[in-house]
Amino acid sequence: MRVIPSRLAVAMAFALPAVFSVSTSQAVVTDQMIEAGSSNTKEVLTWGLSTNGQRFSPLKQINTSTVKSLVPAWTFSFGGEKQRGQESQPVIHNGKMFVTASYSRIYALDVKTGTKLWKYEHRLPEGIMPCCDVINRGAALYDNLVIFGTLDAQLVALDQDTGKVVWKEKLEDYQAGYSYSAAPIIAKGMVITGVSGGEFGIVGKVEARDAKTGELVWSRPTVEGHMGTLKGQPNGITGTTNASWPGDTWKTGGAATWLGGTYDDKTGLLYFGTGNPGPWNSWTRPGDNLYSCSTLAIDVNTGKIVWSYQTTPHDGWDFDGVNEFVTFDMDGKRVGAKADRNGFFYVIDAKNGKLQNAFPFVKKITWASSIDLKTGRPNFVDDNRPGNPTDATEGKKGKSVLAAPSFLGGKNQMPMAYSPQTGLFYVPSNEWSMEIWNEPISYKKGAAYLGAGFTIKTNADYIGALRAVDPKSGKIVWETKNNAPLWGGVMTTGGGLVFYGTPEGYLKAMDAKTGQELWKFQTGSGVVAPPITWDDNGTQYVAVVSGWGGAVPLWGGDVASKVNYLEQGGSVWVFKLAK
């Protein structure tokens, strides 16, 4: 593992004054507007295009016939030396695009021209400890506020018109290893957040705050044994203390909620994935280690866990279960889909958590042979668990195993998309493995808490593959391979298109039914962010953030060496059809 050293935390910056004056907002963002989701085609008000995370837009001016005429409308550079990885999804309201950038920055841009309206740079302290680059995945909009998180685990609300701070709240102690990089979401007037820091022995949680004031409404820890709160009062312990965590291991149990979540107003539930248990060395913590590597369904009003489903019980491979849970209708049921880091694709009843289907979406999985559809549990391959270092006869290293996928996952942070037109999910996936072994470890506040070592292994011919997956049959309908790992998100549209980006710098458009490549554009740096689309006075636009970085060049071993020719960057590209 490589942790971003504190010397990189040089973003000692300020909230800057408005560069251009802007008019007062004509309409503030409401719950009703957010719940309308992608049916409001003139704006993009939330991460995922809608709170359920489908990343589908009904717009069809740009379609399989016209996409060949797509050309740049404008581009904007984040500037300076603070490039690194750019994983942000922009949001759009009232003629402004709000886009976050590396090192906890956010810009307001004129959506028609790309002109900078204002910029805010959060003052970061020395000693921040983000595990996976200094990225940020986006902001939330509510009322006349734009709200985003920072690498020192704070939540900042700014006036949409001026960029001035309206409120600021501390999420957790960055010196203990906490950080924040996800895009918050809004539900019922509350801003919903998780926390990052799973490699530092932190305790994951999901929290809801009044979006207008930042006041905490409820908090729900994601490791059993920890007390939740509601309006400042105790609200029940998560799970049962020591039921699946022996001794004091639950006190540093991990289960970070670092990707953020989704919300379905049809069920009234929030869905958050949880990360790896701490430490990686599974021999130190016998048991399932709830609620790590799980999906949690949480009552939006109370913060109570309604159901949970654990994709990798007693994880020993760093198979974070944070991947987004995307709700949709199938066979008369409200269900949710999740392409897990462990290589399996899950379909789960969104109301009660009962498993409906589970199947591989990558070619090679070694840690389990299958998922038992009756019990919901994996059928483990026992010989593929890294060995116990206390059994080692020489040195301090347990038996190494070759495991697939690698800990970077069959899918990582890059969000998939669903098309109600085709009934398919479009999953950015990767084929790689790892040699992994366990080592002795003890907890120290603010220090990496792994107890494992690893080396990433790659395929000879390709790593990345965009796959069209049928959630009912489990079949891969089509795939398109990519030399480098795919690390950016996906979007589908009513024009029968799938948009996604590659580390090689291309934004591409594919035929959603056949997988045929119909258009591509070189952005100048790797695309590791999800695209968006909207309509402005009858013209459809598509946008994506470009800037190579993220976990792969930091942790990827020989993968990183294969893609070290890729250049960093930091820009927003906006496209429309040529006249």
Side-chain angles (χ1 to χ4, degrees), residues 350-400:
K351 293 182 178 180
N352 58 32
K354 185 178 180 180
L355 182 65
Q356 306 295 301
N357 200 7
F359 51 86
F361 68 94
V362 294
K363 303 295 185 184
K364 186 176 182 180
I365 298 175
T366 62
W367 69 276
S369 60
S370 61
I371 306 298
D372 188 317
L373 296 182
K374 291 183 179 180
T375 66
R377 294 182 66 85
N379 293 308
F380 286 104
V381 177
D382 292 334
D383 290 342
N384 199 254
R385 183 176 293 274
N388 189 342
T390 62
D391 295 337
T393 56
E394 297 180 6
K396 297 181 179 180
K397 181 178 172 180
K399 183 190 73 170
S400 297

Side-chain angles (χ1 to χ4, degrees), residues 1-4 8 83-87 131-135 407-408 413 432 454 456 484-487 503 525-528 547-569:
M1 172 188 175
R2 177 178 174 184
V3 176
I4 304 294
L8 290 179
Q83 296 187 75
R84 311 287 303 195
Q86 311 293 348
E87 296 182 359
C131 83
C132 309
D133 207 356
V134 287
I135 58 91
F407 74 89
L408 290 173
Q413 64 85 24
W432 40 22
F454 54 83
I456 304 291
L486 292 184
W487 211 255
S525 184
V527 177
V528 292
W548 171 239
V552 174
L554 295 176
W555 287 23
D558 67 339
V559 178
S561 66
K562 284 187 176 183
V563 295
N564 62 6
Y565 66 93
L566 299 173
E567 299 293 342
Q568 291 186 341

Side-chain angles (χ1 to χ4, degrees), residues 67 70 497-500 507-511 516-520:
V67 68
L70 205 58
L497 296 171
V498 177
F499 286 90
Y500 76 108
L507 177 64
K508 296 186 176 185
M510 317 294 287
D511 186 305
Q516 179 185 358
E517 182 180 301
L518 301 176
W519 173 88
K520 67 179 179 180

Side-chain angles (χ1 to χ4, degrees), residues 173-474:
D173 179 11
Y174 74 89
Q175 293 179 316
Y178 288 90
S179 59
Y180 188 72
S181 56
I185 62 171
I186 301 292
K188 303 298 182 185
M190 297 178 289
V191 55
I192 314 295
T193 58
V195 289
S196 304
E199 270 60 65
F200 296 94
I202 58 92
V203 174
K205 60 181 176 178
V206 179
E207 292 186 325
R209 285 176 166 78
D210 186 305
K212 291 185 179 181
T213 67
E215 182 179 1
L216 184 65
V217 178
W218 55 257
S219 179
R220 173 52 52 193
T222 56
V223 178
E224 68 178 19
H226 296 269
M227 178 64 73
T229 64
L230 176 63
K231 298 180 179 179
Q233 300 298 315
N235 191 33
I237 290 174
T238 298
T240 303
T241 307
N242 291 141
S244 64
W245 291 85
D248 289 339
T249 57
W250 57 278
K251 295 180 180 179
T252 51
T257 46
W258 58 262
L259 189 57
T262 57
Y263 170 67
D264 191 323
D265 59 355
K266 293 183 178 180
T267 64
L269 298 176
L270 296 160
Y271 303 96
F272 269 73
T274 62
N276 59 283
W280 288 18
N281 181 350
S282 63
W283 300 96
T284 66
R285 42 173 175 79
D288 281 354
N289 311 133
L290 294 172
Y291 291 91
S292 67
C293 295
S294 299
T295 295
L296 304 183
I298 300 174
D299 185 287
V300 67
N301 296 309
T302 66
K304 289 276 193 178
I305 296 174
V306 175
W307 60 258
S308 68
Y309 179 87
Q310 191 171 37
T311 47
T312 314
H314 195 216
D315 173 42
W317 305 268
D318 187 37
F319 288 151
D320 288 40
V322 298
N323 298 58
E324 68 283 358
F325 187 80
V326 180
T327 52
F328 66 109
D329 294 318
M330 187 179 81
D331 296 335
K333 289 184 178 180
R334 194 63 172 171
V335 298
K338 180 176 185 176
D340 198 85
R341 201 151 134 179
N342 68 20
F344 288 99
F345 191 100
Y346 298 82
V347 181
I348 300 169
D349 190 303
K351 293 182 178 180
N352 58 32
K354 185 178 180 180
L355 182 65
Q356 306 295 301
N357 200 7
F359 51 86
F361 68 94
V362 294
K363 303 295 185 184
K364 186 176 182 180
I365 298 175
T366 62
W367 69 276
S369 60
S370 61
I371 306 298
D372 188 317
L373 296 182
K374 291 183 179 180
T375 66
R377 294 182 66 85
N379 293 308
F380 286 104
V381 177
D382 292 334
D383 290 342
N384 199 254
R385 183 176 293 274
N388 189 342
T390 62
D391 295 337
T393 56
E394 297 180 6
K396 297 181 179 180
K397 181 178 172 180
K399 183 190 73 170
S400 297
V401 298
L402 184 65
S406 79
F407 74 89
L408 290 173
K411 191 179 86 65
N412 200 283
Q413 64 85 24
M414 51 284 193
M416 64 183 181
Y418 173 73
S419 171
Q421 290 183 335
T422 64
L424 303 177
F425 279 87
Y426 301 89
V427 184
S429 57
N430 291 305
E431 300 287 346
W432 40 22
S433 58
M434 63 180 172
E435 181 186 4
I436 183 170
W437 59 90
N438 287 157
E439 300 167 348
I441 186 68
S442 59
Y443 173 77
K444 181 181 179 181
K445 180 181 176 180
Y449 192 46
L450 297 187
F454 54 83
T455 303
I456 304 291
K457 307 289 185 180
T458 62
N459 286 348
D461 54 345
Y462 75 100
I463 301 172
L466 180 67
R467 292 180 171 135
V469 176
D470 186 329
K472 295 179 68 172
S473 68

Side-chain angles (χ1 to χ4, degrees), residues 506-557:
Y506 288 102
L507 177 64
K508 296 186 176 185
M510 317 294 287
D511 186 305
K513 293 181 179 179
T514 68
Q516 179 185 358
E517 182 180 301
L518 301 176
W519 173 88
K520 67 179 179 180
F521 181 87
Q522 175 57 250
T523 66
S525 184
V527 177
V528 292
I532 61 169
T533 189
W534 70 98
D535 172 88
D536 187 348
N537 292 321
T539 298
Q540 183 181 354
Y541 292 84
V542 171
V544 74
V545 173
S546 171
W548 171 239
V552 174
L554 295 176
W555 287 23

Side-chain angles (χ1 to χ4, degrees), residues 77-151:
S77 172
F78 297 141
E81 298 179 357
K82 300 171 185 175
Q83 296 187 75
R84 311 287 303 195
Q86 311 293 348
E87 296 182 359
S88 177
Q89 180 218 289
V91 287
I92 294 171
H93 173 61
N94 198 34
K96 305 180 191 71
M97 173 185 287
F98 302 94
V99 58
T100 61
S102 55
Y103 290 101
S104 303
R105 296 174 289 167
I106 186 169
Y107 297 80
L109 309 176
D110 185 301
V111 78
K112 292 182 182 294
T113 66
T115 300
K116 182 172 69 174
L117 304 174
W118 55 257
K119 166 186 171 184
Y120 171 87
E121 295 193 44
H122 185 72
R123 183 186 292 271
L124 289 168
E126 291 288 340
I128 58 171
M129 289 176 280
C131 83
C132 309
D133 207 356
V134 287
I135 58 91
N136 189 285
R137 297 190 177 94
L141 300 176
Y142 194 74
D143 198 62
N144 195 38
L145 301 176
V146 54
I147 307 166
F148 82 116
T150 67
L151 292 169

